[in-house]
Amino acid sequence: MGIIKVNNIKLYANHGCLDEEDKIGSEYRVDVEVKADLKRSSRTDELADTVDYVHLNNIVKEEMAIRSKLLEEVTQRILDRIFKEIKMIRRTTVSVAKINPPIGGNVEEVVIILTKKR
């Protein structure tokens, strides 16, 4: 088994329960970690034998573009798509952080972390 991480994917999106979050939007950071058997790809040097991190990044960008009230929901959508589209993945952890959330305090970020296993 091996681990592939795609860290610090920076996006601008419109998630949240407040009307202003829909209109103004906010900055987000997404981290993805996947566990898969990487033995074959380490020998063949072929993209078809591994998890394509470009594919992971595209899933994140596409799902983050769909508005959600809760970060939990968008995080779960990212997990579900990864498992649906990339069969060799055994375990995935996705972290979605809202930077400077509008919660009436000096808060750097709010982070939701979900993990799914096959």
Side-chain angles (χ1 to χ4, degrees):
M1 283 297 157
I3 294 173
I4 295 175
K5 293 182 179 184
V6 183
N7 290 331
N8 206 22
I9 303 168
K10 295 178 182 178
L11 304 139
Y12 200 85
N14 298 73
H15 305 299
C17 295
L18 303 175
D19 288 339
E20 66 188 46
E21 292 175 297
D22 185 29
K23 294 174 187 163
I24 299 169
S26 187
E27 292 181 39
Y28 292 84
R29 186 191 73 245
V30 179
D31 299 318
V32 177
E33 178 179 301
V34 298
K35 188 172 187 179
D37 185 351
L38 303 178
K39 288 181 215 157
R40 182 177 176 138
S41 62
S42 67
R43 290 188 312 271
T44 66
D45 196 30
E46 293 295 332
L47 182 59
D49 294 332
T50 192
V51 177
D52 183 354
Y53 46 80
V54 172
H55 190 176
L56 293 172
N57 185 56
N58 286 336
I59 289 171
V60 168
K61 289 192 308 187
E62 290 169 10
E63 292 303 322
M64 287 294 290
I66 301 168
R67 178 164 162 66
S68 295
K69 290 186 284 183
L70 300 178
L71 294 181
E72 292 89 327
E73 200 266 342
V74 71
T75 306
Q76 186 64 53
R77 280 200 329 263
I78 293 168
L79 278 173
D80 290 345
R81 258 197 73 193
I82 288 170
F83 270 78
K84 180 181 177 187
E85 295 180 19
I86 308 171
K87 303 298 183 197
M88 71 181 296
I89 291 176
R90 297 286 135 229
R91 181 177 180 269
T92 302
T93 298
V94 175
S95 166
V96 177
K98 180 183 277 192
I99 311 302
N100 297 317
I103 60 176
N106 187 9
V107 178
E108 181 179 341
E109 64 185 14
V110 173
V111 183
I112 301 299
I113 303 169
L114 296 177
T115 299
K116 185 175 181 176
K117 297 178 190 176
R118 201 178 295 276

